[in-house]
Amino acid sequence: MPEGDTVFLTCHRLHDALAGEELTRGELRHPRLATADLAGRTVREVRPAGKHLLLRLDDDRTLHSHLRMDGAWHLYAPGERWRRPGHQARAILSTAQRTAVGFNLHDLHLVRTADEHRLVGHLGPDVLGPDWDPAEAVRRLTADPDREIGLALLDQTVLAGVGNIYKTEVCFLLGRTPWSPVSEVDAAEAVRLSHELLLRNAWHPEQSTTGRRGARHWVYGRRTCLRCGGPVRRGTQGTEERVAYFCPNCQRGASRMSASRRRIG
């Protein structure tokens, strides 16, 4: 699932291409929205909310999408060949200069802008949002001190935007395994690191949590730890069995593959 920085950059690219422009084509290929036609509407802005995309129109409606595991928005010049097959297209928004195509958008809604809260109101503070509130994020993170820190960081109602890559790397930089309880972690530092790492990667597509050229991650997706060279271990976490990487040499704490009944979304 794309991380918050990927959604942030996607939204800003869509905003730069579509904001202030009238749609010459506004087709939504979704069972609930098949009769909706957005042609003639003007895009006011495109804004992220955690991992959610909000495309606001001049008729006070918002097209909401979530990329989930395989969704993506692409931008094309008029007549340019799409890089994905047409049967995956769920939204086609064209202006005189650009076409935005949303592929594999399993979550797609068209709501009144005033009702956006029904879709994103449950989210915690947006790590890359203009109203980022680290104190509130810390409050939410520490509300359940027995919860595993990895699952708490992934919970979008705690703080919005952190995905599995950043969860893994934040835990590494904290020196704690993802299964460690929140009570054993410096919560303020976890929030600070989450914000710092996502912000560092917000304006370019290549994600790096290390600051080292040619070495993107400390332990995520690696066989050996970038810091100590020891073997990286891999397990799963939560009922959705999200992958969890850690270095037993550099990270202290529990390493059991426990599950949580809390939903991550």
Side-chain angles (χ1 to χ4, degrees):
M1 185 180 297
E3 310 268 340
D5 57 337
T6 299
V7 176
F8 177 90
L9 184 58
T10 297
C11 281
H12 280 275
R13 287 176 171 173
L14 288 173
H15 179 84
D16 289 344
L18 303 178
E21 300 290 333
E22 181 179 319
L23 297 177
T24 58
R25 182 181 181 184
E27 181 180 347
L28 304 178
R29 299 178 179 177
H30 190 284
R32 289 195 313 270
L33 305 173
T35 61
D37 184 2
L38 304 184
R41 300 267 58 92
T42 296
V43 177
R44 290 198 296 111
E45 60 181 353
V46 187
R47 290 290 179 260
K51 298 183 181 182
H52 300 252
L53 293 89
L54 303 172
L55 188 148
R56 295 167 178 153
L57 302 166
D58 65 343
D59 62 353
D60 295 322
R61 289 187 298 173
T62 294
L63 180 65
H64 161 272
S65 60
H66 194 297
L67 301 181
R68 295 296 171 185
M69 293 300 295
D70 56 348
W73 280 95
H74 291 183
L75 285 168
Y76 299 99
E80 184 180 356
R81 184 177 179 139
W82 295 355
R83 297 187 299 277
R84 286 196 184 186
H87 69 81
Q88 294 183 2
R90 297 292 176 266
I92 306 169
L93 308 177
S94 296
T95 69
Q97 292 81 30
R98 305 297 296 275
T99 293
V101 185
F103 295 99
N104 289 337
L105 301 179
H106 307 290
D107 290 353
L108 197 62
H109 303 90
L110 187 63
V111 300
R112 293 192 313 153
T113 300
D115 293 333
E116 287 177 358
H117 65 278
R118 296 182 180 179
L119 299 171
V120 299
H122 66 289
L123 297 175
D126 186 347
V127 178
L128 294 177
D131 56 350
W132 166 239
D133 187 346
E136 175 61 14
V138 171
R139 187 192 71 78
R140 294 186 182 216
L141 187 63
T142 56
D144 186 349
D146 295 328
R147 194 176 190 187
E148 295 169 5
I149 182 61
L151 293 180
L153 289 172
L154 286 177
D155 189 339
Q156 300 300 290
T157 68
V158 174
L159 64 166
V162 174
N164 214 34
I165 294 175
Y166 289 107
K167 170 213 80 173
T168 298
E169 298 292 278
V170 166
C171 287
F172 175 82
L173 293 171
L174 289 170
R176 304 295 308 196
T177 67
W179 297 272
S180 301
V182 170
S183 60
E184 295 181 2
V185 171
D186 184 336
E189 181 66 1
V191 168
R192 188 194 69 79
L193 284 169
S194 298
H195 180 249
E196 177 184 314
L197 294 183
L198 267 83
L199 187 62
R200 183 190 302 172
N201 291 284
W203 292 103
H204 52 82
E206 299 80 16
Q207 292 170 323
S208 174
T209 56
T210 67
R212 298 185 183 184
R213 182 171 297 180
R216 296 174 58 193
H217 303 129
W218 295 102
V219 290
Y220 183 85
R222 294 181 57 90
R223 293 177 178 238
T224 59
C225 173
L226 183 63
R227 177 182 288 165
C228 75
V232 169
R233 292 184 182 174
R234 170 176 169 166
T236 58
Q237 192 170 29
T239 56
E240 296 181 1
E241 297 190 338
R242 303 293 296 275
V243 67
Y245 298 91
F246 73 104
C247 172
N249 294 329
C250 298
Q251 293 170 261
R252 295 180 294 113
S255 59
R256 64 189 183 279
M257 307 309 166
S258 56
S260 169
R261 295 186 178 180
R262 299 191 184 224
R263 183 174 180 179
I264 304 166

